Each structure stands twice: as C-alpha cells, then as structure tokens.
Amino acid sequence: MSSGGRRLRQLPVDGVGADAEVFLGVDASGRLLGPEVTGAAGALPVEVRERASTG
C-alpha cells in the first residue's frame, strides 16, 4: 500500500461497534495520514445518520 509515494500501514481501532470498522492509516515513520471508516451507519445513532443525509 502507498499514498503519494509513502509507504502506508493500516492499524485497526478496537471498540468501535459490531458493524463498523475503523483503521488509522500511518506512513513508514508512524505519522497519521488519516482514518478509514467502513460500515459507519451500523455504529452511528439514527439521529446522526438522519442529520448527515439531510445536510
């Protein structure tokens, strides 16, 4: 994996929820590049999902 020529590792984050996964992308020196969230709708309350879909 790489991002803009930088080597990228993904570190899983525990305790998010049964339906969501969060990974932190870090470069070869351990610097945080950004998060990746999959299945967020399964971990967010209905009110938050409704606000997000209406802007």
Side-chain angles (χ1 to χ4, degrees), residues 1-52:
M1 273 183 267
S2 67
S3 175
R6 295 179 285 184
R7 186 174 175 91
L8 176 68
R9 284 188 307 150
Q10 288 187 311
L11 306 173
V13 176
D14 294 331
V16 176
D19 296 329
E21 293 183 304
V22 175
F23 297 92
L24 299 178
V26 295
D27 68 11
S29 64
R31 207 173 359 200
L32 178 65
L33 300 174
E36 177 181 342
V37 180
T38 60
L44 294 172
V46 173
E47 302 82 32
V48 173
R49 293 191 317 253
E50 287 173 350
R51 279 187 294 195

